[in-house]
Amino acid sequence: MQVISVQSAQCNYDIHVGDALLQSVGKVIAQKIPKARVAVLVVDQSIAQTWAQEVVASLQDAGLSVVQHIVKASEENKSMAEVEKLWRCLLAARVQRSDVLCAMGGGIVGDMAAFAASTYMRGIATVMIPTTLLAMVDAAIGGKTAVNLPMPSDAPNTNLAKNMAGTICAPAWVASDVRTLSTLPAREFRCGLAECVKHALIADASMLAWIETHSEGLRAMDPARLGELVYRSASVKAAIVSRDEHEQGERAHLNLGHTFAHAIESLLHDQVHHGEAVSIGLVAMAAASQAAGWWPEADKFQLPKRLADLGLPVKLPCAVDAGQLKSAMKLDKKGQSGVVRLVLLKGVGHPGVLDAASEQVINAGLDAIGA
Ligand code: GLY
């Protein structure tokens, strides 16, 4: 097992990465949250009868009273309605401030459940048990919790305003058991890989080279390789959020490629998953970085080829109007109204924020992805 420590204003916490962690969740909770008597396990329905049962047994063995709350993971269910259902479940189970909520699944379940935990009785302890690659390397780290809101009716598109309400609340512990990746659909695994590439581009070129060298072992779900991938990638995020938990500066770098990606997702949410949008967004980011004069050698780095070699998409899957994408980019909550803020690279390992991207820079990004 490998351990990554995260610093937070509320409490420092550990991320454990290994391949036999689910069976010891109860024991670790008994050490870290000794006053807990009830454990509410909020779990993605796709793993409720499988991986979750190991956690239930472990919590019961540790003497905790266990309540399971099953959630269907969808962006529509990352909602205040689901949060209220969960709050009512906590109340019905007489959950006290000293008890614990375990959030088990991908980013949707984790964000929604952790939001409910951070607000129920003004906050109870949360243990994150991510079971997707994307959640292990990104969503479960850094304490961001969220639900989506419906877009206002006069907004240019009718989809959800993603992650519009939320909190930043440190978990008590993150347990990433890489065995759970063996039952993850290949498409979801690749989505997580896109976030790993993003972390590599933020951190250093050697990490991307490592992913490329070991891509076969990763596809074959070799637990040692998966553990190393999660450890390396989660370490990049952990270091950044430890330095800038509340996104006053450096944490914004984690949005590399994401302004393009969020716009793509908002228009093509039926066709493109988040990690796929991130991959396409990274291609746009590299072209925009070159057009801005930040990364003159970007084309020589051949990011589109490298992403495609990992099985990731590098172009929009269908024709999309560039004007609509630009309108969606202007709505991104990371920017100021009407101004497009982009995280770009000055080279691998050297991210920065361009506060008001010009039309020429945005167009270069959109051209590169076929908009
Ligand atoms: N996923 C970006 C962040 O946690 O800040």
Side-chain angles (χ1 to χ4, degrees):
M1 181 187 77
Q2 308 203 71
V3 182
I4 305 163
S5 297
V6 184
Q7 264 84 63
S8 160
Q10 287 162 314
C11 63
N12 297 345
Y13 59 96
D14 287 339
I15 302 167
H16 289 178
V17 182
D19 61 7
L21 299 180
L22 299 185
Q23 306 93 311
S24 56
V25 166
K27 209 165 73 191
V28 177
I29 287 178
Q31 286 159 7
K32 289 189 184 287
I33 314 165
K35 292 194 178 142
R37 296 289 168 263
V38 181
V40 176
L41 177 63
V42 183
V43 60
D44 182 326
Q45 71 170 19
S46 68
I47 52 164
Q49 303 311 323
T50 52
W51 298 114
Q53 293 312 308
E54 291 189 22
V55 177
V56 170
S58 154
L59 293 166
Q60 286 170 339
D61 286 350
L64 287 149
S65 164
V66 182
V67 177
Q68 279 191 83
H69 183 87
I70 298 172
V71 178
K72 184 175 177 326
S74 67
E75 290 293 344
E76 286 68 30
N77 279 350
K78 191 170 161 181
S79 64
M80 282 310 295
E82 286 298 315
V83 168
E84 185 172 347
K85 269 192 221 164
L86 180 47
W87 280 335
R88 286 171 182 264
C89 163
L90 297 170
L91 190 59
R94 308 290 189 270
V95 169
Q96 303 295 305
R97 291 213 51 193
S98 51
D99 290 324
V100 60
L101 180 149
C102 301
M104 182 172 191
I108 290 176
V109 172
D111 280 7
M112 188 281 289
F115 176 71
S118 74
T119 44
Y120 178 78
M121 288 186 152
R122 301 201 179 88
I124 60 169
T126 313
V127 166
M128 303 302 282
I129 311 175
T131 59
T132 66
L133 180 57
L134 195 147
M136 286 182 192
V137 302
D138 188 8
I141 305 167
K144 278 189 182 174
T145 79
V147 291
N148 301 326
L149 296 179
M151 275 283 186
S153 52
D154 62 347
N157 67 57
T158 55
N159 302 320
L160 295 167
K162 288 185 61 175
N163 299 336
M164 228 9 111
T167 57
I168 295 188
C169 188
W173 176 45
V174 182
S176 295
D177 190 325
V178 296
R179 280 178 310 145
T180 59
L181 300 179
S182 63
T183 52
L184 193 65
R187 184 174 183 185
E188 290 312 313
F189 183 78
R190 286 196 298 273
C191 281
L193 214 46
E195 295 286 358
C196 296
V197 172
K198 180 198 79 177
H199 288 160
L201 293 171
I202 291 170
D204 67 87
S206 68
M207 190 175 147
L208 183 55
W210 185 93
I211 295 172
E212 288 166 343
T213 308
H214 296 99
S215 62
E216 217 161 283
L218 292 169
R219 261 196 299 270
M221 297 286 156
D222 172 348
R225 296 275 176 264
L226 289 174
E228 189 62 20
L229 175 72
V230 171
Y231 176 73
R232 283 173 177 249
S233 191
S235 296
V236 173
K237 178 152 184 187
I240 291 173
V241 299
S242 291
R243 291 189 291 263
D244 179 24
E245 186 177 26
H246 286 270
E247 204 164 320
Q248 300 302 303
E250 190 185 358
R251 186 166 181 165
H253 295 168
L254 293 167
N255 293 313
L256 190 72
H258 276 56
T259 304
F260 289 106
H262 288 151
I264 294 165
E265 267 185 291
S266 76
L267 296 175
L268 300 178
H269 62 109
D270 291 340
Q271 296 173 58
V272 180
H273 292 193
H274 177 68
E276 294 165 342
V278 169
S279 176
I280 300 167
L282 289 174
V283 172
M285 173 283 300
S289 300
Q290 183 150 16
W294 281 29
W295 190 13
E297 309 279 277
D299 49 356
K300 293 208 178 80
F301 190 72
Q302 295 192 302
L303 185 60
K305 179 183 180 314
R306 298 172 91 147
L307 288 163
D309 285 349
L310 292 170
L312 289 162
V314 294
K315 293 253 185 228
L316 294 166
C318 58
V320 182
D321 178 54
Q324 272 188 301
L325 278 168
K326 279 190 235 178
S327 301
M329 287 171 79
K330 286 179 186 156
L331 273 180
D332 194 276
K333 73 176 184 306
K334 309 280 176 185
Q336 287 169 329
S337 186
V339 175
V340 175
R341 188 170 181 249
L342 294 177
V343 182
L344 300 178
L345 287 179
K346 295 171 183 165
V348 177
H350 301 286
V353 178
L354 180 60
D355 272 319
S358 66
E359 285 284 310
Q360 178 240 342
V361 166
I362 298 167
N363 288 341
L366 295 178
D367 274 357
I369 58 173

